Amino acid sequence: MEIEQVKKRIEELKALINRYNYEYYVLDQPTVSDYEYDQLMKELIELETKYPEFQTEDSPTRRVGGMVLDQFEKVVHRTPMLSLSNAFSEGDIRQFDQRVREVIPHPVYVCELKIDGLACSLEYEQGILKRAATRGDGMVGEDITHNILTIKSVPLKLRDPVTIDVRGEVFMPKAAFEQLNREREANHLSLFANPRNAAAGSVRQLDSKIAAERKLDMFLYQLPDALSLGIKTHSAALDYLDDLGFKTNPHRRVCHNVEDVLDYIREWTERKHDLPYEIDGLVIKVDDLEAQALLGVTTKSPKWAIAYKFPAEEVTTVLKDIVFNVGRTGAITPLAILEPVQIMGTTVQRATLHNEDFIRHRDIRIGGKVIIRKAGYIIPEVVGPVKDEQYDTLPTFTMITHCPACGSRLVRNEGEADHYCTNRNCPAQMVEALIHFASRPAMNIEGLGEKICALLFDRGLVKKLSDLYRLTGEDLSSLPKFKEKSIHNLLIAIEKSKENSLERLLFGLGIRYVGEKASLLLAKHFQSLDSLAQATYDDLIRIPEIGDVIAQSVIHYFRLEENRALIQELKDLGVNMEYRGEKTIEAESFSGKTFVLTGTLSAFKRDEAKAFIERLGGKVTSSVSKNTDVVIAGAEAGSKLSRAQALGIEIWDEETFLQRLEPFRSVGKRK
């Protein structure tokens, strides 16, 4: 294929994929199958990989994710992102209407659903998405462009080449939230309390791959500078956003008086649970934009808009019992067993009680009535007791003193809220450890879920982690519902897990305080489990982001003879003990130094330059400080260059950078 044909085909593919994205994610009216869409995307990725000079900012391949930042840069909003004042009753809404009518005698309102997510600002230049930022304090937010690019309902290129700022709400649909929490629960990770927290946590990830996996969405709700475009009303501005290709909420309504507004509030108070996303209220705005300007703003909020907040839904039920779960670290978590009760469309029978202090401070008693609500509309929580006439006759809570699984005495360390079972042979801990070891972020043994782990332990087939690698087909054939195919698949998955890179094994071992990120840092630094096992405290804390608590925990783990014996068994059984990820090559010009990139580089993109530096042992940060060693200045370098000069920091132009890289260029090539 000739170069011009390649360029033409890439443009055709981009146009088709962007159109299909719009039909699927904005209109919810797909016109092609998933297979056809995937084939087009595959072709585009292949062409752009082969001809990177033709990859543009509006390419849908930018949505895949993979950019990793070391920190968020600050963004000053061109127009402040003010918060709204709240209304909690019909009376509050009538008072708002009265205040508006003192200035605007016959106001028309636009009512919208208040999406429970994270407010963001998007900046477009000549129709191309350039930057996205969080609301922050209203004046200054954080640059989250790398994560917003992964949201497929957000257009990378508008239908008209306009330069505008728009505002909207990033949210996580209910189905995506429930799936995310199911996955986290299966992997023994902490659950998100509600979709808003999940969306906010996803948007503020430094690694955009995480955001790309979270199935975020976005509704646009404001065009701040609409009057300058000749648009006279807020409702017309929303229609204009639709025309540009944005996704706006279809349930908005123009209301000509306060009674229509109140009808809208009553309707959606009843219908809110029918939506596929969470709303925590409604927003009422004066429609006429000149009237908005006339009404003005306070220091915190506009006078032409108000947010009506739904009242919290709480129900009362009976606390039948308190039971205790044992985690893989031995932490004991009390759970409330409730008389089944309906709340927000679901039946609730269990709720967490966190720890002893939580129960005692609220004086929660078995047999009494308790108030239950869904935290953030999703997670059931006990708010507190109902102190009725029989309340004082009920026994106060007494924390158990022995492990419910093995009978060992519990301990509570000074400064900690949790009680722990310290018996390393506690059956509950061992099952939880096995589940964790097999989970997706750890050894990723497909088909080895919670029930099978518990069954293997109960049957005596697996008493410690190394026993997994001794399982035979005959062992598994003794288990109920295990047929030849499922036995074969599980044994293949177990065998395959032996080849995992070191960081997965490290995380799977369940060393206290060593999560996924710390496991990767340790694996990259020490390259082998033997090297890590011999590391001193000083060796460990020299690693950025490895502090005192993790260092002490790692040293304690390897001091225990049973842990060293387990690792030797795993090694003898063929489990890989080496880091198999991307290697870091130590280069004198880069190793141990902190770099800042500024301006435009012609030889490669910013993230590619960052990858080169990190693979050669350097670190890239986004701001210049006294800790910066080198600033690499490309074309049109700005304030970062000036600050570096003022601080006397070493500065490389692009030519110098390329010269220093030359001996190692093969290290940074894409795979």
Side-chain angles (χ1 to χ4, degrees):
M1 192 182 295
E2 294 181 4
I3 290 295
E4 283 305 313
Q5 290 177 306
V6 170
K7 186 176 181 181
K8 182 180 178 183
R9 181 56 179 162
I10 286 175
E11 290 301 318
E12 289 173 352
L13 289 168
K14 282 162 44 183
L16 280 171
I17 294 169
N18 282 328
R19 182 182 119 202
Y20 295 148
N21 273 336
Y22 177 74
E23 291 171 346
Y24 188 95
Y25 293 101
V26 179
L27 300 182
D28 197 22
Q29 296 173 352
T31 59
V32 294
S33 68
D34 288 348
Y35 176 79
E36 291 174 273
Y37 178 90
D38 290 342
Q39 291 304 302
L40 293 172
M41 182 64 85
K42 181 182 176 184
E43 183 184 354
L44 180 59
I45 290 170
E46 288 174 351
L47 286 174
E48 288 185 346
T49 301
K50 192 172 181 180
Y51 302 95
E53 65 270 25
F54 294 140
Q55 186 180 40
T56 57
E57 289 185 308
D58 63 329
S59 174
T61 58
R62 298 179 72 206
R63 297 189 187 278
V64 175
M67 182 183 291
V68 183
L69 306 182
D70 63 315
Q71 64 183 56
F72 294 100
E73 290 196 2
K74 300 299 181 185
V75 175
V76 178
H77 297 300
R78 294 173 183 171
T79 305
M81 293 184 71
L82 300 178
S83 57
L84 298 178
S85 56
N86 293 324
F88 298 97
S89 66
E90 289 191 4
D92 291 342
I93 295 296
R94 291 186 186 278
Q95 288 177 13
F96 166 72
D97 175 60
Q98 181 62 41
R99 290 195 299 271
V100 170
R101 285 190 291 112
E102 288 173 1
V103 181
I104 311 297
H106 304 289
V108 173
Y109 297 107
V110 178
C111 295
E112 303 167 67
L113 305 184
K114 188 175 182 295
I115 311 301
D116 196 14
L118 186 77
C120 291
S121 173
L122 309 180
E123 297 177 16
Y124 286 80
E125 292 180 12
Q126 300 299 310
I128 304 295
L129 177 61
K130 291 294 183 180
R131 187 160 65 173
T134 61
R135 178 185 175 276
D137 63 4
M139 303 299 291
V140 179
E142 292 179 322
D143 191 325
I144 53 167
T145 312
H146 67 303
N147 287 328
I148 296 300
L149 288 171
T150 69
I151 302 176
K152 294 182 180 178
S153 58
V154 174
L156 305 182
K157 183 179 182 180
L158 304 180
R159 291 172 180 168
D160 290 334
V162 291
T163 297
I164 58 171
D165 289 2
V166 293
R167 305 280 165 77
E169 197 85 0
V170 175
F171 65 96
M172 183 175 287
K174 290 177 182 176
F177 171 75
E178 289 162 4
Q179 179 185 342
L180 174 62
N181 261 355
R182 281 195 299 271
E183 291 173 356
R184 292 179 70 84
E185 185 174 21
N187 293 321
H188 296 270
L189 301 173
S190 59
L191 302 186
F192 285 109
N194 51 58
R196 185 191 186 283
N197 286 358
S202 303
V203 162
R204 296 198 73 260
Q205 292 289 332
L206 293 171
D207 185 350
S208 64
K209 280 185 181 177
I210 297 173
E213 293 169 354
R214 297 277 175 88
K215 299 179 182 177
L216 299 172
D217 207 339
M218 187 175 190
F219 282 126
L220 276 294
Y221 59 66
Q222 189 185 12
L223 179 59
D225 205 21
L227 275 172
S228 68
L229 299 172
I231 299 172
K232 300 295 185 182
T233 63
H234 175 63
S235 54
L238 294 176
D239 292 340
Y240 177 63
L241 292 177
D242 287 335
D243 294 340
L244 288 174
F246 289 108
K247 183 175 183 176
T248 63
N249 193 281
H251 299 298
R252 58 184 182 266
R253 184 180 302 169
V254 175
C255 297
H256 293 274
N257 54 60
V258 72
E259 297 305 325
D260 289 347
V261 171
L262 294 174
D263 285 343
Y264 181 87
I265 289 172
R266 294 179 195 118
E267 175 186 345
W268 283 104
T269 300
E270 293 297 319
R271 292 180 59 191
K272 62 188 178 187
H273 301 311
D274 299 333
L275 294 164
Y277 45 83
E278 293 293 346
I279 61 174
D280 61 347
L282 308 165
V283 177
I284 300 94
K285 301 173 184 174
V286 172
D287 192 27
D288 187 282
L289 297 180
E290 291 183 348
Q292 287 186 8
L294 195 60
L295 285 160
V297 299
T298 68
T299 55
K300 293 184 179 179
S301 57
K303 295 180 181 179
W304 42 265
I306 198 165
Y308 174 81
K309 303 299 288 285
F310 294 131
E313 290 193 32
E314 296 181 345
V315 297
T316 300
T317 189
V318 175
L319 175 63
K320 296 166 63 178
D321 198 3
I322 295 175
V323 298
F324 300 87
N325 277 357
V326 185
R328 66 178 174 84
T329 64
I332 308 296
T333 303
L335 285 175
I337 305 301
L338 307 165
E339 193 72 45
V341 62
Q342 282 279 320
I343 179 168
M344 297 179 68
T346 59
T347 301
V348 174
Q349 299 182 73
R350 297 161 74 91
T352 182
L353 289 167
H354 303 291
N355 51 56
E356 178 188 18
D357 291 347
F358 180 90
I359 300 170
R360 288 191 180 281
H361 290 163
R362 286 161 179 76
D363 196 13
I364 295 167
R365 305 186 184 190
I366 295 172
K369 292 179 180 178
V370 288
I371 300 167
I372 304 296
R373 71 176 171 210
K374 280 193 173 180
Y377 300 95
I378 297 294
I379 305 296
E381 68 175 7
V382 177
V383 179
V386 177
K387 296 188 176 182
D388 54 19
E389 60 277 2
Q390 68 161 11
Y391 179 77
D392 288 335
T393 67
L394 299 172
T396 57
F397 172 75
T398 302
M399 183 64 187
I400 58 173
T401 58
H402 292 76
C403 175
C406 70
S408 299
R409 178 167 285 279
L410 302 180
V411 299
R412 179 176 175 177
N413 298 323
E414 188 177 348
E416 294 191 14
D418 291 325
H419 287 73
Y420 287 89
C421 168
T422 58
N423 174 18
R424 297 190 190 95
N425 296 313
C426 173
Q429 291 183 56
M430 295 179 78
V431 171
E432 290 295 329
L434 181 58
I435 293 168
H436 173 75
F437 186 80
S439 67
R440 187 179 298 175
M443 296 302 275
N444 192 24
I445 304 177
E446 191 172 346
L448 192 54
E450 293 185 29
K451 291 182 179 178
I452 296 174
C453 286
L455 189 59
L456 289 171
F457 185 84
D458 291 342
R459 294 293 180 93
L461 294 173
V462 176
K463 289 294 185 183
K464 52 186 176 180
L465 299 180
S466 54
D467 290 341
L468 268 179
Y469 297 100
R470 297 188 177 96
L471 287 172
T472 65
E474 186 178 350
D475 292 332
L476 296 176
S477 65
S478 66
L479 301 178
K481 299 181 181 179
F482 260 72
K483 305 298 181 186
E484 186 176 341
K485 185 176 180 181
S486 56
I487 291 171
H488 173 76
N489 289 343
L490 181 54
L491 289 175
I492 290 294
I494 291 171
E495 187 66 23
K496 183 182 175 184
S497 73
K498 291 180 180 179
E499 302 304 314
N500 285 333
S501 185
L502 173 60
E503 66 274 13
R504 284 185 172 274
L505 174 61
L506 260 183
F507 182 57
L509 290 173
I511 303 171
R512 197 172 181 194
Y513 305 120
V514 178
E516 283 184 78
K517 185 176 180 181
S519 296
L520 181 58
L521 288 170
L522 292 168
K524 274 187 171 183
H525 185 85
F526 290 101
Q527 297 289 306
S528 73
L529 199 61
D530 286 343
S531 296
L532 175 61
Q534 294 165 15
T536 65
Y537 174 82
D538 289 339
D539 293 334
L540 289 161
I541 61 169
R542 282 194 201 102
I543 304 171
E545 299 181 69
I546 299 296
D548 174 74
V549 173
I550 294 177
Q552 295 283 12
S553 181
V554 169
I555 288 170
H556 175 72
Y557 181 86
F558 287 108
R559 276 181 184 158
L560 298 177
E561 174 58 36
E562 65 217 61
N563 292 335
R564 295 198 299 272
L566 170 64
I567 289 166
Q568 186 60 51
E569 286 183 41
L570 291 170
K571 187 186 295 186
D572 293 342
L573 288 162
V575 176
N576 173 59
M577 301 277 157
E578 308 288 326
Y579 175 64
R580 290 181 170 174
E582 211 167 52
K583 300 290 183 181
T584 297
I585 295 179
E586 300 292 327
E588 187 177 347
S589 297
F590 296 89
S591 181
K593 293 183 179 179
T594 299
F595 291 78
V596 171
L597 296 162
T598 183
T600 303
L601 301 175
S602 59
F604 29 60
K605 296 177 183 176
R606 180 76 64 90
D607 57 337
E608 292 175 323
K610 181 174 183 285
F612 272 116
I613 293 167
E614 289 177 344
R615 287 168 194 164
L616 296 172
K619 177 183 176 184
V620 179
T621 62
S622 58
S623 57
V624 177
S625 72
K626 62 182 181 180
N627 297 320
T628 304
D629 295 300
V630 179
V631 168
I632 299 172
E636 299 181 11
S639 59
K640 292 180 184 179
L641 176 59
S642 302
R643 178 163 173 75
Q645 290 168 335
L647 291 173
I649 292 168
E650 184 177 356
I651 297 167
W652 296 354
D653 58 18
E654 185 170 4
E655 185 179 350
T656 304
F657 180 40
L658 292 172
Q659 288 173 354
R660 303 288 173 90
L661 281 179
E662 190 56 41
F664 312 100
R665 285 297 290 270
S666 61
V667 174
K669 288 181 179 177
R670 295 179 184 178
K671 295 181 179 178

